[in-house]
Amino acid sequence: MADSATAQEFDILVLGAGSGGYAAALRAVQLGFSVGLVEKAKLGGTCLHNGCIPTKALLHSAELADHAKDASKYGVNLSMDSIDMAAVNAYKDGIIAGKFKGLTGLIKSKGITVIEGEGKLVGTDTVEVNGTAYKGKNIVLATGSYSKTLPGLEIGGKVITSDHALQMDTLPKSAVILGGGVIGVEFASVWKSFGVDATIVEGLPSLVPNEDPAIIKQLERAFKKRGIKFNTGVFFDKVEQNDDGVVVTLADGKTFEADLLLVAVGRGPSTAGLGFEEAGVTVDRGFVITDERLHTGVGNIYAVGDIVPGVQLAHRGFQQGIFVAEEIAGNKPAVIEDINVPKVTYCDPEIASVGLNQPQAEEKYGKDNVETVEYNLAGNGKSSILGTSGIIKMVREKDGPIVGMHMIGGRIGEQIGEAQLIVSWEAYPEDVAALIHAHPTQNEALGEAAMALAGRPLHG
């Protein structure tokens, strides 16, 4: 172990420079702390380099491909001849490079000390990086996550993860996607737009199983219409590779043949071998256990982001990073509740949700004490202009506030901001119905849904 007697010391030492880590570092500097930021790869972490940004760039290219195919419906004569993956990747990588350059410059300008290399916790106040010890009066663990696989399912050859899929320079003719959650449906959506014959295999009874049942029904209907195949309710058994591709076998004996298998079964916390448990931090199935204020219960060690049990979203980690910096400063920030973290799945059609879905609300308040309304986007002028369909569903406690909002439709994720305010501030439908929503926008649909839930629908 390195000698820590003369180790460089910081007020706050952050282990990991992804969304949660760099947010903690930036807010800590604003609060007057000295900060060391340890990162083994690149500033920005998974979200910038292998997650949010590159996948959404691909989804935008996919949207443009669909627009080209359907342009004649809108009086524009175009043709979609082919997908140039080299150009798609150049566009994607250009976005990443620009954001990385901006973040790197920002971190440098704020006087944050960036320590390159893999950090390991070697005490309650010490992190070792490349044989050198660094001390922190406070330590923030923000080591992120990795693409998971299943026991016995090895990644390699024609069995890939989303990390590999983001770097592909050629498209397969066909693909099986193992997992019908966020990653799976987003890649299925991209690949279908690019002309790939995509089939999702999901062991649970439906796609995106954590969403409201009404949203699930709408997505599955839309995917069928788009020609995206899916098989739900039967678990994966095995995959065999051959010269032609892969043969995927399910537990019921059903088989699927394709050029490759994309394993999209979620992300695991990156905590193994980093000394957390040895330092006394409680780790359960790889996740760091904290209290509601993100403290580990050991020394002045906190944890944020994907390594903390809960929804694995970049903006959650980002907000947690800010929270911890505020907490260390003694500012007593409000506790971040996972249920009020907005979620968007950027497939086509998009899904956006915040708060309790109907089954969760009925479990909490009782079935007879929950009221819901579904507003069909067919009645929304801007949605008709965009050529999209879907619904906005509001869930309220009977005679009480709105406790959940769930939406599906093209570009509907842009409405999640107001939805989060409505749920987080415990607004009543009557409050939202009184607000003025610009016409014609999809945002109007939130107002219409609120009027319906308040018992005074104008268009229904």
Side-chain angles (χ1 to χ4, degrees), residues 174 183 200 242 312 440:
S174 59
I183 298 171
I200 301 171
N242 55 46
Q312 291 179 308

Side-chain angles (χ1 to χ4, degrees), residues 287-363:
F287 290 98
V288 175
I289 305 304
T290 72
D291 62 17
E292 66 176 6
R293 306 201 72 81
L294 301 177
H295 189 266
T296 64
V298 178
N300 292 323
I301 302 176
Y302 298 82
V304 302
D306 286 358
I307 62 173
V308 178
V311 290
Q312 291 179 308
L313 295 168
H315 47 280
R316 171 190 183 243
F318 187 88
Q319 198 64 31
Q320 287 180 335
I322 295 171
F323 173 94
V324 164
E326 296 275 0
E327 180 75 0
I328 292 170
N331 292 342
K332 298 181 180 179
V335 170
I336 298 169
E337 298 183 20
D338 269 5
I339 195 64
N340 287 339
V341 173
K343 301 182 291 292
V344 182
T345 302
Y346 295 88
C347 53
D348 181 18
E350 285 183 356
I351 299 170
S353 63
V354 62
L356 301 173
N357 60 34
Q358 184 173 349
Q360 290 170 333
E362 290 176 348
E363 182 178 352

Side-chain angles (χ1 to χ4, degrees), residues 59 66 185 189 193 219 222-223 226 228 346-350 388 409-410:
L59 281 154
D66 287 333
V185 298
S189 194
S193 298
L219 179 69
F223 268 23
R226 290 191 62 196
I228 298 173
Y346 295 88
C347 53
D348 181 18
E350 285 183 356
T388 188

